[in-house]
Amino acid sequence: MLKMNHVSKLFNPGTVDEKIALMGVNLHLKPGDFVTVIGSNGAGKSTLMNIISGVMKPDAGEVSIDGSSIGHLPEHRRSRWIGRVFQDPMAGTAPNMTIEENLAMAYRRGSSRGFQIGVTSSKRKLFKEELQRLGIGLENRLRAKVGMLSGGERQALSLLMATFTKPQILLLDEHTAALDPARAELITKLTNEIVSDLNLTTLMVTHNMEQAIRLGNRLIMMDKGRIILDVNEERKKDLTVEQLLGEFENISGHKLSDDRIMLG
Amino acid sequence: MINFLSNLDGPVELGLLYALMALGVYITFRILDFPDLTVDGSFTTGGAIAAVLITNGVNPWVSTLAAFGGGMLAGVCTGLLHTKGKINGLLSGIIMMIALYSINMRILGKPLISLSGEETLFSSIDAIWVMAVIVIAGKLLLDAFFRTDLGLSLRATGDNHRMIRSFGVNTDVTKILGLSLSNGLVALSGAVVAQHSSFADISSGIGMIVIGLASVIIGEAVLGNGSIFRTTLAVVLGSIIYRIVVAVAYEIDWLETSDLKLITAIIVIIALVVPTIRRSMKQRSMARKRSAELLTGNQGKGGAA
Ligand SMILES: Nc1ncnc2c1ncn2[C@@H]1O[C@H](COP(=O)(O)OP(=O)(O)O)[C@@H](O)[C@H]1O
Ligand SMILES: [Mg+2]
């Protein structure tokens, strides 16, 4: 499925501000893998996502999907395979457009866009059904502008928009971090449902340790641009938050630092 | 004054002639969120192309369409400067505006071409009716376009370019498309204005961008901005109201014709500043109300304890 080989990325190379964002990262995902990603601030998690989606180009290394290299493709040509939800609820939707218009744009993911009508009655029916799945009543507000929705509602809509066309890979970058605990829990539950219903290959960055252990079939831990721990399904089952933190300290030699880290 | 009110035909007609330009400015300024100054040049380009073709015996409808095409080309150039050349948006427009001055001069061959006695769009039918049909058709076509998949991605490019890229849209292409559509409309307006006034003049586009902005802003103030249908209607209406304001200003004795640009600039300034002031005043009064509420709420609790 997704393969990253020896991927490195530096910011401001050769200056005093040089930052190692990724250093020789190898990551292979199998179809249907649901991988949770944890790590301290600045570990390179977002950079990893940005390199997979093509927002940034790696300085070295290879990225391929299904055996064909995608390293040379710009972001808009990769989006056929890749669905994303960002941390900022404002980032994933167009606020001055309606819910149905947003969904219509997501519906055309990766295909060419011409003079066909964006929202037809048959699509509207499909959108209603899909929105019902979220269970927060958005199906009755198809013509509301997305800017009127709350952060949680927008994030639920972003999640639906990123997934309902069944992308090959789903990238979630702390997509519940900006929400209050109740909303975050709702989005987490929806994420789990959608990912397992559609069997999406998923990479999810989270700062919630408990969630990282509970969700998915694999867990990776990053520090200073490297993947320092890769936990498979078997071991993940019996893992506790304390063990995970201990493991991090053992390998990295320092405490997991992130003001927003939640233990459970 | 009464005499003036009974004769609104003139301002309405002018408003319709310039409404196409205002719709063009609306596309860049509001939809793409791109302040495009190409307008001052491409308006003249439209007038120049139409005038030269008409004086050479080309059918006025064909000439007007050619002007639209010329404007689109100018928009494409601005778009390329901005997206491929990575030049700041404002600067891209200014560069094109300056470049177009020379190009317009080349097209015209002299600073002014007269169209008197030539067959124009308005030779056989009253201009106000021809323009009403053109503007309504243009507005409805634009509305329809903004509901297509391509139109949606153009709107999203201005609204949240990061999001629409993540769904596979090349925002460079949509920006170029929007700029070309916008400048096409502006040039179209230049072409009909030239035919209406019976001349095309090298300096006719000067200050157009501000007039376009004023129309967009006045329209929004009057009709608000809801759906696309309503907003494009507001822009057309804004263009007409602007011409009424101008006509009123002409009636006032102590105003000079050349004061018009200053008045327009003041309209735009008021329209840009008032919403900001209103917003911050609303926020302040809200904050005052909330803190008063919290204060009395706390006192209430304190008293009970
Ligand atoms: N656009 C950028 N310019 C300069 N440095 C950056 C940029 N993006 C990220 N970095 C740096 O790269 C490192 C990794 O950042 P990031 O991938 O955002 O980490 P994480 O998401 O794990 O918190 C950090 O040191 C960060 O400061
Ligand atoms: Mg991050």
Side-chain angles (χ1 to χ4, degrees):
Chain A
M1 183 80 255
L2 174 77
K3 277 201 175 135
M4 301 181 81
N5 286 325
H6 311 293
V7 170
S8 298
K9 176 79 188 173
L10 295 181
F11 288 105
N12 312 317
T15 70
V16 283
D17 282 336
E18 184 172 282
K19 294 258 163 58
I20 299 174
L22 291 178
M23 193 30 76
V25 167
N26 292 305
L27 180 65
H28 296 191
L29 300 189
K30 291 200 290 290
D33 264 353
F34 181 177
V35 182
T36 54
V37 184
I38 56 172
S40 23
N41 271 336
K45 307 178 297 290
S46 296
T47 306
L48 184 76
M49 299 287 193
N50 285 335
I51 282 184
I52 296 171
S53 60
V55 174
M56 295 169 182
K57 296 260 149 72
D59 298 325
E62 269 282 315
V63 186
S64 64
I65 291 182
D66 278 343
S68 50
S69 168
I70 59 163
H72 58 288
L73 293 179
E75 179 188 3
H76 65 90
R77 297 203 35 211
R78 293 186 198 191
S79 51
R80 187 183 324 164
W81 306 289
I82 299 170
R84 292 194 81 179
V85 183
F86 307 94
Q87 174 174 342
D88 177 5
M90 304 296 163
T93 48
N96 290 310
M97 300 174 72
T98 63
I99 293 180
E100 59 183 17
E101 286 170 340
N102 270 275
L103 283 161
M105 294 188 283
Y107 182 82
R108 283 265 174 250
R109 169 194 296 289
S111 58
S112 68
R113 294 159 203 255
F115 294 101
Q116 315 91 321
I117 298 297
V119 185
T120 58
S121 55
S122 64
K123 275 194 227 165
R124 193 172 280 137
K125 203 164 141 259
L126 171 79
F127 296 161
K128 266 197 156 130
E129 282 164 17
E130 293 288 340
L131 285 166
Q132 247 148 22
R133 181 207 267 279
L134 299 177
I136 50 176
L138 292 183
E139 62 276 13
N140 305 318
R141 301 168 66 188
L142 281 176
R143 294 197 182 160
K145 287 201 175 163
V146 170
M148 306 295 284
L149 306 184
S150 71
E153 287 167 339
R154 282 180 80 160
Q155 209 60 335
L157 180 62
S158 302
L159 184 65
L160 184 64
M161 285 166 59
T163 55
F164 81 127
T165 53
K166 300 192 184 64
Q168 240 105 332
I169 295 170
L170 176 64
L171 302 177
L172 307 168
D173 192 354
E174 307 205 44
H175 69 308
T176 64
L179 306 175
D180 65 68
R183 293 287 178 181
E185 194 43 50
L186 171 73
I187 299 297
T188 306
K189 184 179 132 266
L190 287 170
T191 305
N192 208 17
E193 278 171 18
I194 291 174
V195 168
S196 57
D197 281 0
L198 303 179
N199 196 30
L200 298 173
T201 309
T202 303
L203 209 52
M204 178 176 106
V205 177
T206 176
H207 58 268
N208 184 326
M209 297 290 126
E210 184 274 328
Q211 204 179 70
I213 295 172
R214 176 165 49 96
L215 300 179
N217 65 342
R218 188 175 160 192
L219 181 154
I220 62 176
M221 191 185 262
M222 292 185 66
D223 186 49
K224 301 202 173 93
R226 295 168 200 271
I227 295 176
I228 56 168
L229 184 67
D230 193 333
V231 187
N232 64 23
E233 191 157 20
E234 310 263 287
R235 276 185 57 213
K236 196 155 112 31
K237 272 196 205 114
D238 323 301
L239 199 65
T240 64
V241 172
E242 291 73 34
Q243 283 171 345
L244 198 57
L245 291 174
E247 194 90 61
F248 182 89
E249 277 192 59
N250 274 344
I251 305 170
S252 71
H254 60 94
K255 274 194 189 302
L256 187 58
S257 66
D258 182 337
D259 346 325
R260 296 163 309 154
I261 285 279
M262 292 203 285
L263 301 178
Chain B
M1 200 65 187
I2 289 163
N3 173 35
F4 155 76
L5 280 180
S6 66
N7 192 5
L8 274 179
D9 281 17
V12 170
E13 193 170 294
L14 280 177
L16 289 171
L17 287 161
Y18 287 95
L20 296 166
M21 184 271 297
L23 284 171
V25 171
Y26 163 70
I27 292 175
T28 47
F29 187 67
R30 281 288 190 244
I31 293 193
L32 277 184
D33 197 15
F34 184 110
D36 175 32
L37 298 188
T38 315
V39 172
D40 279 21
S42 57
F43 185 86
T44 311
T45 307
I49 291 177
V52 166
L53 290 179
I54 287 173
T55 48
N56 280 295
V58 178
N59 174 289
W61 289 98
V62 175
S63 309
T64 308
L65 259 167
F68 182 72
M72 287 188 83
L73 208 61
V76 169
C77 293
T78 308
L80 287 173
L81 287 179
H82 176 60
T83 58
K84 304 298 173 199
K86 311 268 180 235
I87 299 173
N88 162 290
L90 213 53
L91 202 54
S92 308
I94 293 174
I95 293 172
M96 267 318 284
M97 180 180 83
I98 298 294
L100 281 173
Y101 183 88
S102 303
I103 294 169
N104 292 337
M105 202 60 184
R106 285 279 178 183
I107 297 173
L108 283 168
K110 52 191 173 192
L112 191 138
I113 289 184
S114 167
L115 285 173
S116 59
E118 301 283 349
E119 154 109 11
T120 69
L121 292 186
F122 313 121
S123 294
S124 41
I125 314 169
D126 213 2
I128 196 164
W129 297 115
V130 178
M131 282 320 297
V133 170
I134 293 179
V135 168
I136 291 171
K139 176 224 173 323
L140 292 177
L141 273 174
L142 215 52
D143 292 347
F145 170 67
F146 283 127
R147 284 196 206 95
T148 64
D149 282 323
L150 191 59
L152 290 179
S153 53
L154 199 149
R155 285 163 62 197
T157 301
D159 206 13
N160 186 347
H161 58 93
R162 190 168 162 209
M163 166 260 176
I164 195 65
R165 267 207 295 272
S166 82
F167 287 107
V169 169
N170 184 347
T171 50
D172 285 357
V173 171
T174 48
K175 276 183 198 161
I176 293 171
L177 178 72
L179 281 163
S180 89
L181 189 58
S182 162
N183 283 289
L185 285 167
V186 171
L188 192 61
S189 184
V192 291
V193 167
Q195 292 174 66
H196 185 260
S197 59
S198 289
F199 65 88
D201 155 21
I202 186 70
S203 61
S204 61
I206 295 177
M208 255 331 122
I209 181 69
V210 186
I211 295 176
L213 284 179
S215 307
V216 170
I217 290 166
I218 293 171
E220 283 174 349
V222 174
L223 259 189
N225 47 357
S227 59
I228 284 283
F229 179 89
R230 189 164 158 175
T231 323
T232 51
L233 186 66
V235 172
V236 172
L237 219 63
S239 174
I240 293 173
I241 295 172
Y242 173 79
R243 291 295 154 185
I244 295 175
V245 172
V246 170
V248 171
Y250 274 134
E251 295 285 302
I252 301 172
D253 290 338
W254 48 268
L255 279 176
E256 301 276 336
T257 317
S258 57
D259 292 340
L260 198 61
K261 294 229 189 319
L262 179 63
I263 295 173
T264 309
I266 291 171
I267 292 177
V268 174
I269 292 169
I270 292 173
L272 291 176
V273 171
V274 166
T276 324
I277 295 177
R278 206 186 282 156
R279 212 176 307 128
S280 77
M281 264 164 52
K282 213 162 127 191
Q283 237 165 30
R284 276 236 298 276
S285 81
M286 181 66 146
R288 219 175 290 138
K289 212 174 103 197
R290 274 297 290 157
S291 50
E293 259 174 39
L294 289 173
L295 209 64
T296 53
N298 275 348
Q299 276 172 348
K301 257 186 223 157

